[in-house]
Amino acid sequence: MRASNWAFIAAIVGAIATLVFPILFGSPPDLGAAPMADGFVTPVLALEFARSPADLAFLQGDDAAALREFLIHTQSLDRFFPLAYAGMAAMAFLALGLRNPGRWLAWAALAVALVTIGADWAENTVMNRLLAELGTGAEPRAGLLAALYGHTWIKWGLIALYAALFSVLMWRDKRRLLAVPGVVAALAIAATWLSGSNGQVAEIMGVLLIPFMLTFPLAALMYLRGKSAPSKPGA
C-alpha cells in the first residue's frame, strides 16, 4: 500500500478520535448564579475568549465549583485533543504531499497543522493556570487573561489558515465541494476576530467548524477509493 494511503487512513483514525472526544468531555453542570458573558452558551468558549474578570464571573464563587471541576476535567483530556483534530489535518496534508511531492502547498499546510498542536497546548497551559487561580477565589489577573486571549487567537488563526489552505488544495484537485466548508470555517473564524470575540458569533463559528472537520475523513475516503484529479507540481 502506498505511503499516502496509510496517511489517509491515519487521518480517518484521527477523525474518529476527534468525534469521540466530545463524548468524553461530557456535558457541563448547572452554571450557578452567574451567567456567562453575553451570547456564550459553551463554557469553554466563554473561558477562551474572556477579556475581563467580569467575563469570568460565571466561574467564580462556591456556586461555580462544579463547573470549574468540569472544566478542569475537560482540560485534562484536552491535552490529547489537539493530537486528534490537528493530527487528522496533518495526516491529510501529509498524504496530499506524498501523492505529489512537488506540491509545496500541502507541505506548508502540514507545518501549520503541526504548529497548531503546540499552540493549543500553550493555550491549555494558560487556561490551567487561570482555573487554578479561580479555584482559590482569587480575582483573574489581567496579565493572565491577556495571555490566554493571545494564545487563543494564535490557535484559532492557525486553524483558519490551514482551513483556507485545505480549500485551495481541494479546489486545485477539482474536488470543489470539499473546498466550501474550509472557506466557511476560515471566514467564520475571521468574523469572530473582527467582532471582538462576540459570544454569538463565536458560538456560530463553533458550529460551522463541524462540517469543515468532517471534510478531512470524507476527502480521505474519496482519495482512497479513486484516483486524485491531476494537478500541477507546486499546486
Side-chain angles (χ1 to χ4, degrees), residues 151-221:
H151 283 296
T152 292
W153 272 113
I154 291 172
K155 178 194 75 174
W156 285 112
L158 289 168
I159 293 173
L161 179 55
Y162 77 65
L165 292 174
F166 181 76
S167 294
V168 173
L169 287 164
M170 292 300 98
W171 186 268
R172 290 185 172 181
D173 244 8
K174 302 190 185 304
R175 300 185 184 275
R176 291 173 179 172
L177 284 178
L178 292 178
V180 175
V183 171
V184 172
L187 290 175
I189 293 171
T192 303
W193 180 71
L194 290 171
S195 73
S197 305
N198 174 271
Q200 293 175 334
V201 181
E203 293 289 346
I204 293 172
M205 175 197 73
V207 173
L208 292 176
L209 280 173
I210 296 172
F212 163 60
M213 293 297 182
L214 292 176
T215 58
F216 285 105
L218 180 58
L221 288 170

Side-chain angles (χ1 to χ4, degrees), residues 28-122:
D30 184 77
L31 292 178
M36 284 184 277
D38 187 39
F40 284 103
V41 296
T42 308
V44 69
L45 286 179
L47 173 58
E48 283 186 3
F49 293 118
R51 304 290 296 273
S52 68
D55 293 335
L56 292 179
F58 74 102
L59 285 175
Q60 300 181 62
D62 293 338
D63 289 344
L67 184 55
R68 288 196 301 271
E69 287 300 316
F70 167 78
L71 288 173
I72 291 170
H73 164 70
T74 59
Q75 283 295 102
S76 69
L77 295 174
D78 198 38
R79 76 186 81 171
F80 305 108
F81 188 44
L83 295 173
Y85 79 83
M88 166 187 67
M91 289 299 100
F93 292 131
L94 174 62
L96 292 170
L98 289 172
R99 287 208 165 197
N100 185 347
R103 183 182 286 185
W104 66 269
L105 205 59
W107 299 112
L110 169 61
V112 174
L114 292 175
V115 172
T116 302
I117 296 173
D120 201 321
W121 283 340

